Amino acid sequence: MFSPSPMLLKLLYTRGSLHNLPDHGGVAFSLKNRLDTVHLTGISSVRVDGRTLGPEQITLDLGDGNVRPATELGEGGGLSFPVGQSITIRLHTDPLPEGMHPVHLQFRAEPFGELNVEVEDAIVHQENARVRIPRQDQDDYSEAAIQARQRFAEQFSGQQFEHIGKYSFDPHMLQGNCEHFTGVAQIPIGLAGPLRVNGEHAQGDFLIPMATTEGTLVASYNRGMQVLNLCGGVKCTVIGDAMQRAPVFVFDDARGARDFAKWIEQEIGPIRTEAECTSRVAKLQYIDTYLANKFAYLRFNYSTGDAAGQNMVGRATFAACSWILENYKGAPIRHFYLESNFATDKKASQINVMRTRGKRVVAEAVIKRDILQQRMRVTPEQLAYHGQVSNVGAFLSGANNNGAHSANGITAMFIATGQDVANVSESSAAVIYSEVTAEKDLYISITIPSLIVATHGGGTGLATQNECLRMLGCVGRGTVHKFAEIVAGVVLAGELSLASAISSSDWVSSHEQYGRNR
């Protein structure tokens, strides 16, 4: 449990929520718990525009028709306020004019005691003619709510939809995964392999589910897997594991930022304690500090178990930064932001290539000369030389990798297994290397420095996605490194296949044969 600083307490308030209630029913605003689960034991007062309102003039709307007077808060140990929940505070007062208004909320929450939130928010003109997507507060995943949205979509677009509304799972399992659920996008799944993986965590033959609408993709990966299997399989190794959140602290000058960075290095022990108290899984490994101008960027690096962990590390870093804001006694911190764009979430970046984000995995194999010539119609020398030429092209273009198409296999597996597909932006970064061995065979390897995968949480528990993970044997505790090794092996198969097709001039003819859809 951490102590929220005044700077972080402001984040409880939902900006833009201040509004007048209809029919002169008062004024309302919203709070959302973005810190830690607490018990509200009392609201002392709310002050708006200098006017102070006591508990007898305040009502709490908890949603689902649950409305309680603030005077009842102290009864029965208070009101549970878990992380992620929102509460609407209703004030029995005259309407506010349009414009900015200072709002001060004083309340009690266990285990913290008396807390204060001070913000400014605006009353703005509400447009009554806004078109709204239908939803139900009580159960937005009910059949009635879903059918209302389906009818709305047809009426709004003037089209009829036959396939979107057909699915085979209970929509209630989508809570936390998809809002305004209306139907499904059916993406074809093709099977490639089996692929023989010689990893430390993945060992054996694996049938690979690939969700795609791109013709030739599954066939190409399947061809690469066959060649790898004929040469004994693909050797895969996880060499790094870290997930980041990167807050920034703003000072008056560079000297203040520098001294702060030194203090952070000295206080890593209590910072780690505060971060890890928010999760049984997240473990703070280290903090990288980068200074520029008057800014101190801290890149917190965690291990996150079988989860990808972006939300987990956000919460842990939030707790750590709250402790930092409370305990740093040096130059004043003028501003703080939980994310500075330096973790580069869902963006390709050089720092992820160098420092790892997610899993850092290497897949490698030795392809026998005769097999390469018989199956791919190229020699090791042709592929190695082609790789050198491609390196120049990748360098000139500023690409995030020097391979052929790592994003293809990663995306197809991500969709099939319920990964966050936007993470392909950083997961597709790759460093490929090949050479002709002393025996005149081809050694080929690929390093994926920021492969963000999970076998727990997110979309991995959904119906078809979980079935695909079960096909790979990647469900249950301790399976994320196994899954990472399989993905890396699949990527190498695709690199080998496409590079060979381009070198042997089979690329266009293969697309004509398998990918033609016109």
Side-chain angles (χ1 to χ4, degrees):
M1 187 65 65
F2 62 92
S3 299
S5 70
M7 189 178 293
L8 290 184
L9 280 171
K10 289 184 178 182
L11 299 178
L12 289 172
Y13 185 91
T14 302
R15 297 281 182 178
S17 66
L18 187 66
H19 63 283
N20 291 317
L21 294 170
D23 302 322
H24 295 275
V27 176
F29 60 83
S30 296
L31 303 177
K32 182 175 182 179
N33 190 348
R34 301 173 175 91
L35 300 176
D36 207 344
T37 296
V38 296
H39 274 77
L40 293 178
T41 57
I43 293 183
S44 303
S45 65
V46 175
R47 188 170 65 252
V48 183
D49 280 351
R51 181 180 180 185
T52 301
L53 305 173
E56 66 281 354
Q57 297 168 285
I58 302 170
T59 302
L60 282 69
D61 186 347
L62 309 178
D64 295 334
N66 187 0
V67 179
R68 298 178 56 177
T71 52
E72 296 182 0
L73 267 187
E75 302 175 4
L79 174 70
S80 178
F81 191 19
V83 172
Q85 180 175 323
S86 294
I87 294 177
T88 299
I89 308 292
R90 297 179 181 177
L91 309 175
H92 305 291
T93 185
D94 295 331
L96 295 173
E98 291 185 17
M100 295 297 296
H101 301 277
V103 179
H104 176 266
L105 169 66
Q106 187 174 10
F107 64 101
R108 295 183 301 279
E110 297 300 332
F112 301 121
E114 200 79 21
L115 298 171
N116 292 274
V117 175
E118 295 187 60
V119 297
E120 278 193 333
D121 203 358
I123 295 284
V124 297
H125 176 68
Q126 297 292 327
E127 182 59 61
N128 294 326
R130 176 185 170 191
V131 176
R132 294 180 179 273
I133 297 171
R135 69 178 310 275
Q136 291 185 3
D137 290 336
Q138 289 76 21
D139 183 0
D140 203 38
Y141 295 88
S142 67
E143 198 61 35
I146 296 166
Q147 289 178 0
R149 283 190 288 272
Q150 292 170 349
R151 290 192 298 269
F152 168 79
E154 291 185 336
Q155 293 166 4
F156 187 86
S157 64
Q159 302 290 322
Q160 287 191 329
F161 305 115
E162 179 183 355
H163 300 286
I164 289 175
K166 295 180 180 178
Y167 46 87
S168 58
F169 53 85
D170 181 358
H172 290 90
M173 71 188 305
L174 295 174
Q175 295 185 55
N177 289 106
C178 180
E179 301 78 36
H180 294 168
F181 174 68
T182 305
V184 295
Q186 299 182 70
I187 301 174
I189 293 177
L191 296 178
L195 171 66
R196 178 160 298 173
V197 180
N198 304 315
E200 294 177 308
H201 306 275
Q203 298 174 355
D205 296 338
F206 297 92
L207 196 59
I208 308 300
M210 308 188 80
T212 183
T213 57
E214 180 184 345
T216 76
L217 188 148
V218 177
S220 177
Y221 277 84
N222 191 62
R223 185 173 81 137
M225 292 175 196
Q226 290 175 358
V227 171
L228 288 173
N229 291 344
L230 289 170
C231 298
V234 54
K235 183 178 182 180
C236 299
T237 310
V238 177
I239 59 174
D241 187 350
M243 178 50 65
Q244 293 76 30
R245 186 59 61 203
V248 59
F249 296 79
V250 182
F251 296 85
D252 288 328
D253 53 33
R255 197 167 297 169
R258 180 201 63 187
D259 294 343
F260 173 76
K262 292 179 179 178
W263 181 84
I264 290 293
E265 185 177 351
Q266 296 168 359
E267 299 296 326
I268 184 64
I271 291 173
R272 177 177 286 112
T273 298
E274 292 296 321
E276 294 180 357
C277 76
T278 65
S279 170
R280 293 173 300 165
V281 177
K283 301 299 178 185
L284 178 60
Q285 300 175 19
Y286 56 93
I287 300 174
D288 285 329
T289 302
Y290 299 85
L291 302 177
N293 307 98
K294 56 181 181 179
F295 310 129
Y297 296 88
L298 305 183
R299 200 166 187 261
F300 284 66
N301 295 267
Y302 298 86
S303 59
T304 58
D306 290 306
Q310 288 99 320
N311 293 333
M312 184 192 304
V313 304
R315 179 168 158 75
T317 306
F318 205 54
C321 289
S322 183
W323 184 90
I324 290 169
L325 290 167
E326 281 289 303
N327 288 276
Y328 184 61
K329 306 305 180 186
I333 298 170
R334 297 304 183 188
H335 298 284
F336 156 76
Y337 303 99
L338 181 62
E339 181 50 60
S340 62
N341 220 11
F342 201 53
T344 66
D345 191 21
K346 297 178 173 66
K347 293 175 285 292
S349 69
Q350 189 61 30
I351 193 169
N352 287 343
V353 172
M354 297 299 294
R355 299 291 288 160
T356 301
R357 180 170 170 82
K359 310 298 182 281
R360 193 178 194 92
V361 198
V362 176
E364 54 192 340
V366 174
I367 310 301
K368 296 297 183 180
R369 184 182 192 87
D370 58 341
I371 293 174
L372 190 63
Q373 288 182 290
Q374 292 167 7
R375 296 286 178 149
M376 298 297 197
R377 291 181 292 280
V378 293
T379 65
E381 290 81 5
Q382 283 177 288
L383 275 189
Y385 180 73
H386 183 191
Q388 294 181 45
V389 176
S390 297
N391 285 343
V392 176
F395 173 77
L396 290 174
S397 66
N400 73 339
N401 70 73
N402 65 332
H405 66 150
S406 58
N408 258 337
I410 292 172
T411 303
M413 292 196 71
F414 272 24
I415 295 173
T417 59
Q419 310 301 309
D420 187 337
V421 183
N423 285 327
V424 172
S425 57
E426 58 254 68
S427 297
S428 62
V431 182
I432 195 162
Y433 172 76
S434 62
E435 67 179 29
V436 179
T437 69
E439 294 77 22
K440 303 300 181 181
D441 299 321
L442 179 74
Y443 169 83
I444 184 170
S445 71
I446 192 166
T447 299
I448 307 175
S450 46
L451 181 63
I452 302 176
V453 290
T455 55
H456 177 77
T460 62
L462 299 182
T464 56
Q465 291 81 355
N466 190 256
E467 287 185 353
C468 288
L469 282 171
R470 283 161 47 200
M471 188 184 300
L472 295 165
C474 290
V475 293
R477 188 180 298 274
T479 55
V480 71
H481 284 179
K482 176 181 180 181
F483 182 58
E485 289 181 345
I486 294 171
V487 173
V490 170
V491 171
L492 186 65
E495 295 297 299
L496 177 63
S497 180
L498 182 53
S500 298
I502 297 173
S503 292
S504 65
S505 299
D506 285 339
W507 188 25
V508 173
S509 62
S510 296
H511 276 78
E512 284 295 306
Q513 181 179 356
Y514 295 105
R516 186 165 53 203
N517 185 20
R518 55 179 182 265

